[in-house]
Amino acid sequence: MELTHALRSTGSIREFTDQPVSEATLYEILDDARFAPSGGNRQAWRVIIVEGEQRHQLRDLYLDGWHDYVAHLLAGSIPFSPLASEHERVAASSRRDDAIALSNPTGFAETIDRIPVMLIVLADLGALAATDRDLDRYQLVGGASVYPFVWSILLGAHERGLGGVMTTVLTLHEDRVREVLKVPDTFAIAALVALGVPLHQPTRLRRRPVEEFATRNTFDGDVFRVHS
Ligand SMILES: Cc1cc2nc3c(=O)[nH]c(=O)nc-3n(C[C@H](O)[C@H](O)[C@H](O)COP(=O)(O)O)c2cc1C
């Protein structure tokens, strides 16, 4: 697949056919994804391929987190924004019962234990180059040593006619996930990645144009446009 096309068309897939993904294909996807960049080339990722009864426990934890996510949407707030006020947090939790009532038995969260491939991607905290670790704000640099790897998994899956989605709501129950999968507490749960043969291909991805996020020289500088 041509790279530009892949970058512009790798959308989230949450519905899959019953077709299995072969171990050889999954191996190839991981074998390509391992070339992703990471701080200091520490390659801080670990992957657990979840095939057993742990899937049901992870589904329950995922669904619980998903209800919290939906509750935020119902309250009109950006789910889990680090800048959310106490008022927004309380408003979101007050909508949790409404979120549960909206649960759809055939939804992605409700059936996540049946996805063709379930990967849990971990971040080895001791290997991260988290250059913002001492700043007095929410920290995000550490994740950048793992999420390019996850994105490469999704690109590699697309290249092979598969699709999937990176999900993070499981981190809401990180301690429980660690117990279920026997993960040491020096590792963070970075993502649950679903993969399989897409039931439908996304048509056009909705993304903001360059002019909405790029400026020259300063944050409030001129909008970046190509000089004619
Ligand atoms: C960091 C990150 C976390 C995400 N977490 C979830 C998640 O927990 N559950 C989910 O269904 N999708 C999750 N997604 C997928 C996003 O919803 C998706 O990338 C976005 O809405 C764009 O959708 P599209 O690819 O269909 O256009 C996540 C994506 C990223 C990059």
Side-chain angles (χ1 to χ4, degrees):
M1 185 181 296
E2 197 247 331
L3 180 60
T4 302
H5 174 70
L7 292 174
R8 297 177 78 109
S9 66
T10 305
S12 306
I13 304 291
R14 297 185 184 82
E15 288 181 285
F16 306 98
T17 70
D18 292 336
Q19 259 179 282
V21 176
S22 75
E23 290 201 337
T25 301
L26 179 57
Y27 187 94
E28 273 178 32
I29 289 170
L30 296 175
D31 196 32
D32 285 345
R34 73 192 168 92
F35 289 93
S38 58
N41 198 21
R42 298 269 170 220
Q43 303 161 58
W45 50 80
R46 274 286 300 260
V47 177
I48 301 178
I49 298 131
V50 186
E51 300 170 321
E53 47 81 33
Q54 295 92 341
R55 277 183 170 226
H56 306 306
Q57 291 165 274
L58 295 186
R59 189 264 325 273
D60 292 347
L61 295 171
Y62 186 98
L63 189 53
D64 192 79
W66 180 247
H67 290 146
D68 281 346
Y69 184 92
V70 174
H72 280 81
L73 296 180
L74 294 176
S77 57
I78 296 177
F80 306 107
S81 164
L83 301 186
S85 65
E86 191 53 32
H87 172 75
E88 286 170 303
R89 287 168 197 244
V90 171
S93 59
S94 75
R95 302 301 304 271
R96 202 180 135 85
D97 286 347
D98 300 325
I100 293 171
L102 284 175
S103 201
N104 163 15
T106 61
F108 175 69
E110 289 79 357
T111 60
I112 202 163
D113 50 334
R114 285 184 255 150
I115 54 180
V117 175
M118 181 188 286
L119 305 178
I120 298 293
V121 180
L122 310 172
D124 180 351
L125 297 174
L128 295 183
T131 50
D132 60 350
R133 83 177 167 188
D134 298 326
L135 295 186
D136 186 19
R137 63 145 171 78
Y138 170 79
Q139 294 158 16
L140 82 161
V141 173
S145 279
V146 172
Y147 292 117
F149 168 75
V150 175
W151 180 232
S152 293
I153 290 175
L154 293 170
L155 286 172
H158 192 188
E159 160 82 1
R160 291 168 176 85
L162 304 176
V165 63
M166 153 178 3
T167 75
T168 53
V169 296
L170 256 193
T171 57
L172 292 167
H173 294 298
E174 182 166 83
D175 286 346
R176 297 282 310 282
V177 177
R178 278 207 198 98
E179 276 170 38
V180 171
L181 301 176
K182 301 183 180 166
V183 175
D185 61 10
T186 52
F187 284 76
I189 310 298
L192 179 158
V193 181
L195 294 177
V197 176
L199 196 57
H200 312 284
Q201 279 296 346
T203 42
R204 198 149 174 263
L205 303 186
R206 286 186 304 122
R207 301 291 188 261
R208 291 186 292 143
V210 174
E211 291 79 357
E212 279 191 26
F213 59 78
T215 54
R216 293 184 190 274
N217 299 319
T218 56
F219 189 84
D220 61 354
D222 290 343
V223 169
F224 178 68
R225 289 195 181 87
V226 179
H227 292 305
S228 50

